[in-house]
Amino acid sequence: MEEAENVTAKPSQDGTGNPAEAASGSTDAAADSPGTADTAPVAANTRNTGPGRLLIAVYAVFAISATARAGYQILTKFSEAPLAYLLSAFAAVVYVVATVSLAKPGRTAFKVSVVAVLVELVGVLVVGALSVFDSVNFPHETVWSLFGRGYGFIPLLLPILGLIWLYRRRPAPLHG
């Protein structure tokens, strides 16, 4: 029984998603173990494990802060910088979508994550450049203004790290 427990614990510990019984050559002990069904979904989605949890947490913080900031700006001083405040709201939506999709398992969530993080990167680059070269339309800062300078350039680094993480944790190709 102890051997069966070790076999079923291996997929969740190494995070590879490879069945442990293939490495041990034993299929009967793992098939009879009640823990196998519980660990299989965890091993299949490795985006929200290890450093992925930190990435999701940072996205969640940005989702909350960008939503609060955009809501406040739009409700209290929208006429001062409507473009900047609408872009802040758009950034908030992107951060929310990225947070949720990074945390969810599955191919569709993976694809949504890639799109959200790419949109974020393009947004940071475009809004960052516009805020430098067209400061008239950006009298007030957004999350992405000046490439995220107000947030320690984390908005510029976050999508790059996110894309690297997603690339390393991409799902295996379907065999058809």
Side-chain angles (χ1 to χ4, degrees):
M1 183 66 178
E2 183 179 22
E3 184 178 287
E5 289 174 9
N6 289 338
V7 169
T8 58
K10 187 160 176 74
S12 63
Q13 289 174 354
D14 67 7
T16 61
N18 296 331
E21 59 268 9
S24 69
S26 170
T27 56
D28 294 333
D32 294 336
S33 173
T36 303
D38 295 337
T39 58
V42 174
N45 179 27
T46 61
R47 289 192 316 274
N48 63 6
T49 60
R53 288 184 183 190
L54 177 61
L55 187 69
I56 293 167
V58 173
Y59 268 103
V61 167
F62 270 83
I64 293 167
S65 65
T67 301
R69 179 180 183 162
Y72 174 79
Q73 291 170 328
I74 289 171
L75 290 173
T76 61
K77 46 190 178 177
F78 182 72
S79 61
E80 294 176 22
L83 178 62
Y85 298 154
L86 287 174
L87 285 171
S88 281
F90 178 72
V93 170
V94 170
Y95 285 124
V96 168
V97 170
T99 302
V100 172
S101 63
L102 282 166
K104 289 186 126 197
R107 290 183 181 280
T108 302
F110 174 81
K111 291 175 185 177
V112 171
S113 295
V114 170
V115 170
V117 174
L118 281 171
V119 167
E120 176 195 5
L121 180 60
V122 169
V124 171
L125 294 174
V126 169
V127 172
L130 286 174
S131 64
V132 169
F133 298 114
D134 187 16
S135 59
V136 172
N137 282 317
F138 293 91
H140 298 266
E141 285 194 12
T142 70
V143 176
W144 294 341
S145 293
L146 304 171
F147 306 101
R149 183 180 74 179
Y151 292 85
F153 297 103
I154 293 172
L156 180 61
L157 296 174
L158 192 58
I160 295 168
L161 295 174
L163 288 171
I164 291 168
W165 180 254
L166 286 167
Y167 178 77
R168 290 184 177 176
R169 301 296 183 194
R170 66 192 179 277
L174 293 174
H175 297 4

